Amino acid sequence: MNESISLEEPKVLNAQEEFMASLTPKEIVRELDKFIVGQNKAKRAVAIALRNRWRRQQLAKEMRDEVAPKNILMIGPTGVGKTEIARRLAKLAKSPFVKVEASKYTEVGYVGRDVESMVRDLVELSRTMVREEKEAEVQQKAREMAEERLLDLLLPPKPGMPRTPDNTGNADNSREKFARYLKEGRFDDRTVEVEVQEKMSPMIDVVSGQGMEEMGNNLKDMLGGMFPKKGKRKKMKIPEAFKVLAREEAEKLIDPEKLAEEAIERAQQNGIIFIDEIDKIIGRQGAQGSADVSREGVQRDLLPIVEGSSVNTKHGIVKTDHILFISAGAFHAAKPSDLIPEFQGRFPIRVELDSLNKEDFIRILTEPDNALVKQYIALMKSEDLDISFSEDAIEEIASMSASVNERTENIGARRLQTIMEKLLEDISFDAPDLENKTIAIDQAHVKDKLKDIIENEDLSRYIL
């Protein structure tokens, strides 16, 4: 018997929800194409995962809570775009994004924060994002209030005539005139003494050192509020004082409890955690050493977080049930099926990313909005230097990069950055002093600059 799936009553969407509704899978892929060349299978997978988040929000609450995110496992060599795809996806969706290296938790002597710290980091980032949005909302009001405080410093009320909303305490229109001068920047060179609020917590900062960071943060959270705020008077120029006062006023206008609630909700519903080097926590077949036990132990420590658990943070309890987890690894010496079965089961979507060849490098150099060639042209333009790259120059750079990757370590598109930096080293150094402000880089120039290094394998390994 088929049962209809109930949807919630239509609701008025806010700006963020309207934006997410407009992000169809095809649109997501189109946006990712602006920055990442190829890897269409991976782009489609993350596009569907992101769209499923929006789809889930349209369901009735009972059904919504049952729909788990389809976590993704990316398989491919370094430098092919695994991290970039996840990072760009988060930026596109305006989601809090945290990247961690799984191998960090297997290091000998590592006594840092436990695996739950990735969730705490996600909440901190989420809180920062929400706070910035709230500050933008109250910015105008905060600036007005800061301006009034500055006017009080520049033109205090006359004795016996305290300022009220209807009476400035000054017989003439000086305050109105000063407000106009302040906006026009006439007082920018003037110095005022501002009382800056600082929290007193002298005992807490002594907690430091490796392994003590978490304890220090917890102590600050628990005891920080017990110390009263102390006003410290500082002399500063009017523009600096205005920024300080505007920041203080904005802080007063933001409800810290609502800020924490919204930050937690965003982390829970929109957060993305990228776990890199997942293949480094796979134990070797048949090995009984402590290192291999430790690797499997990291998988088991990660499992509750990926499956869905509650993590204590200083802003409240965070449920990880609907956080999207994207893991990635090269899997040179192991395969995904070597992960413990429970962990494999939490990453139902697997995509393999392709190695990059010469043609890919040509596209990477020229097509994306942040293409390396465009970046270097813009950087040199800041020195009034016009540089250009011929097609055969770009082809030669791509060919050399592919060649070095084949003969040495394959680091994917990262090789292009090394090649480009070496190619333009002299130009970058001399740019401010060059008389000739137009430089055309062709194939001959590329070969002349890099040929000896490319042909000498030992030099390639050392320099490139």
Side-chain angles (χ1 to χ4, degrees):
M1 180 174 132
N2 292 328
E3 294 183 3
S4 61
I5 298 174
S6 61
L7 301 179
E8 287 197 332
E9 291 296 318
K11 59 181 179 180
V12 178
L13 301 179
N14 60 33
Q16 173 67 7
E17 290 168 332
E18 286 181 355
F19 174 71
M20 290 301 296
S22 70
L23 285 178
T24 64
K26 287 183 180 179
E27 182 60 29
I28 294 166
V29 171
R30 272 195 293 269
E31 289 297 319
L32 293 175
D33 283 341
K34 294 179 181 179
F35 301 97
I36 301 151
V37 167
Q39 312 301 1
N40 291 324
K41 288 182 289 186
K43 289 175 184 174
R44 285 172 64 92
V46 298
I48 293 170
L50 187 60
R51 185 63 177 182
N52 278 341
R53 282 190 155 180
W54 176 84
R55 290 167 178 157
R56 175 180 159 271
Q57 293 296 333
Q58 312 314 304
L59 303 178
K61 188 178 186 306
E62 297 76 18
M63 176 69 74
R64 185 193 313 158
D65 292 340
E66 297 300 320
V67 178
K70 305 301 185 286
N71 297 324
I72 301 168
L73 173 61
M74 292 185 180
I75 306 161
T78 185
V80 297
K82 300 187 296 293
T83 304
E84 190 65 10
I85 287 173
R87 182 181 288 116
R88 291 288 174 184
L89 181 76
K91 189 172 183 179
L92 176 63
K94 301 177 182 175
S95 300
F97 172 83
V98 165
K99 177 191 173 185
V100 296
E101 280 78 31
S103 57
K104 184 71 174 177
Y105 304 111
T106 65
E107 291 180 6
V108 177
Y110 183 72
V111 197
R113 297 172 292 176
D114 57 17
V115 292
E116 290 185 346
S117 64
M118 64 178 72
V119 180
R120 298 188 187 103
D121 290 343
L122 186 74
V123 174
E124 286 299 327
L125 184 60
S126 178
R127 188 174 184 276
T128 299
M129 293 175 68
V130 175
R131 185 181 188 83
E132 288 174 354
E133 292 170 8
K134 297 291 184 188
E135 285 178 349
E137 291 174 6
V138 301
Q139 185 181 42
Q140 184 58 39
K141 179 67 175 175
R143 290 173 67 89
E144 291 172 1
M145 294 167 71
E147 186 179 299
E148 290 299 319
R149 287 179 63 182
L150 271 180
L151 289 172
D152 286 343
L153 294 172
L154 290 168
L155 195 65
K158 291 182 179 179
M161 296 183 66
R163 184 171 70 85
T164 66
D166 300 315
N167 176 19
T168 63
N170 295 281
D172 54 15
N173 293 325
S174 297
R175 191 176 181 86
E176 185 179 331
K177 182 173 66 177
F178 270 47
R180 188 173 69 252
Y181 288 171
L182 188 63
K183 290 176 181 176
E184 292 173 355
R186 298 195 192 187
F187 295 139
D188 284 0
D189 292 331
R190 187 172 294 192
T191 300
V192 292
E193 195 172 56
V194 178
E195 185 171 308
V196 181
Q197 299 295 323
E198 293 183 344
K199 253 188 183 177
M200 291 291 291
S201 51
M203 299 187 301
I204 299 172
D205 291 328
V206 299
V207 182
S208 60
Q210 189 179 16
M212 302 296 283
E213 180 183 357
E214 196 75 27
M215 186 187 297
N217 287 338
N218 290 338
L219 277 173
K220 287 183 179 181
D221 298 334
M222 290 187 293
L223 303 178
M226 296 170 59
F227 296 93
K229 284 189 175 182
K230 178 187 176 185
K232 183 178 180 181
R233 302 194 71 82
K234 290 184 178 179
K235 290 185 177 181
M236 54 186 75
K237 296 284 188 182
I238 288 288
E240 184 185 356
F242 182 71
K243 289 179 183 177
V244 170
L245 295 176
R247 191 162 53 243
E248 281 188 7
E249 295 302 327
E251 195 173 312
K252 294 175 186 175
L253 293 169
I254 297 172
D255 185 335
E257 289 186 6
K258 287 184 178 178
L259 174 63
E261 287 174 10
E262 195 169 330
I264 288 174
E265 181 67 10
R266 184 172 299 192
Q268 291 180 153
Q269 303 300 329
N270 299 330
I272 298 175
I273 294 181
F274 184 84
I275 308 174
D276 202 7
E277 298 183 344
I278 203 73
D279 53 321
K280 302 291 179 62
I281 58 171
I282 295 176
R284 290 169 295 177
Q285 289 287 336
Q288 299 296 320
S290 60
D292 294 281
V293 174
S294 171
R295 292 188 184 107
E296 185 172 312
V298 174
Q299 292 182 54
R300 297 198 180 280
D301 286 343
L302 286 169
L303 191 58
I305 296 175
V306 179
E307 282 185 328
S309 60
S310 297
V311 176
N312 245 326
T313 76
K314 64 183 180 182
H315 303 297
I317 294 175
V318 176
K319 293 182 179 179
T320 67
D321 303 64
H322 297 290
I323 292 173
L324 177 63
F325 290 89
I326 302 175
S327 64
F331 290 95
H332 292 313
K335 51 188 182 295
S337 58
D338 292 331
L339 291 160
I340 61 174
E342 302 95 321
F343 198 81
Q344 289 182 53
R346 299 309 299 180
F347 291 86
I349 301 179
R350 299 180 185 179
V351 290
E352 190 167 348
L353 284 82
D354 303 317
S355 295
L356 302 174
N357 56 31
K358 174 185 170 182
E359 287 67 32
D360 293 323
F361 285 153
I362 291 173
R363 294 182 61 199
I364 290 169
L365 284 167
T366 57
E367 288 184 14
D369 287 0
N370 62 337
L372 275 178
V373 167
K374 296 175 185 176
Q375 289 182 29
Y376 278 101
I377 289 173
L379 284 170
M380 293 302 103
K381 190 68 177 175
S382 68
E383 302 276 10
D384 294 325
L385 181 64
D386 291 316
I387 63 171
S388 60
F389 294 81
S390 65
E391 288 186 14
D392 59 2
I394 291 172
E395 188 173 335
E396 187 65 30
I397 294 167
S399 178
M400 287 181 170
S401 299
S403 174
V404 176
N405 270 352
E406 287 175 5
R407 290 188 289 111
T408 61
E409 187 74 19
N410 186 355
I411 59 172
R414 293 187 179 94
R415 184 72 66 191
L416 290 172
Q417 298 182 15
T418 312
I419 295 279
M420 288 288 286
E421 196 63 32
K422 192 64 185 174
L423 173 65
L424 297 171
E425 183 180 26
D426 292 339
I427 295 174
S428 295
F429 185 83
D430 296 326
D433 307 311
L434 290 174
E435 293 183 5
N436 180 11
K437 291 295 183 180
T438 303
I439 296 177
I441 297 173
D442 56 15
Q443 186 181 41
H445 181 96
V446 176
K447 285 184 174 180
D448 179 61
K449 185 68 181 173
L450 299 174
K451 185 179 180 182
D452 291 342
I453 300 174
I454 296 295
E455 290 179 351
N456 188 320
E457 191 165 330
D458 289 336
L459 275 178
S460 292
R461 289 181 183 277
Y462 181 72
I463 296 175
L464 302 178

